[in-house]
Amino acid sequence: MTTEDVLDHHLDAFTGQDLDECLADYTDDSVIITNMGTFRGLDEIEDLFAGLFEEFSQEGSTIELDQKEIEGEYAYIVWHGETPDNDYEFCTDTFVVEDGAITQQTFAGKVEPKA
């Protein structure tokens, strides 16, 4: 699978809130670094996505991809979204894809809680 294939699968799994398919893109050695902490291995990554799916499954939640760039084993996306709890004004993820899996990912975003 190419980097773009893995990224597209991941985006489809995320927007479809399919936790098993989302986790299929990672390995026990994968690491996700965010401003909320670092998540290592499938168990911690599962906890991260379960929380995100819980938030984005609320009625009225939206998410939109603004930009997607692929360069070799690197993928970069820019997106924005909204849930009843938070406004995800500007968010980016960078992925490193090796041997058909996301081995490293970073997330950064301007997330404003709704008062």
Side-chain angles (χ1 to χ4, degrees):
M1 291 179 63
T2 68
T3 299
E4 187 165 19
D5 292 338
V6 173
L7 178 62
D8 287 345
H9 178 267
H10 179 69
L11 295 175
D12 288 344
F14 186 87
T15 57
Q17 295 194 9
D18 187 328
L19 186 57
D20 290 335
E21 283 300 311
C22 202
L23 291 174
D25 296 324
Y26 298 89
T27 71
D28 281 324
D29 295 323
S30 296
V31 177
I32 301 177
I33 300 169
T34 77
N35 60 318
M36 302 168 289
T38 299
F39 303 85
R40 295 174 184 86
L42 291 174
D43 288 342
E44 292 182 11
I45 291 170
E46 180 176 8
D47 289 345
L48 170 65
F49 281 108
L52 289 169
F53 289 167
E54 184 177 321
E55 181 176 358
F56 277 94
S57 68
Q58 296 177 78
E59 188 169 329
S61 296
T62 62
I63 191 165
E64 188 171 330
L65 184 66
D66 298 314
Q67 182 179 354
K68 178 175 86 169
E69 300 291 333
I70 309 289
E71 187 66 40
E73 64 186 13
Y74 300 98
Y76 173 77
I77 61 171
V78 176
W79 60 275
H80 69 276
E82 184 175 356
T83 70
D85 301 322
N86 294 298
D87 186 10
Y88 291 77
E89 288 182 40
F90 179 84
C91 301
T92 70
D93 288 87
T94 301
F95 305 85
V96 178
V97 177
E98 298 171 307
D99 299 323
I102 299 168
T103 58
Q104 298 171 45
Q105 179 180 347
T106 64
F107 164 82
K110 182 174 182 186
V111 182
E112 294 289 334
K114 293 182 176 177

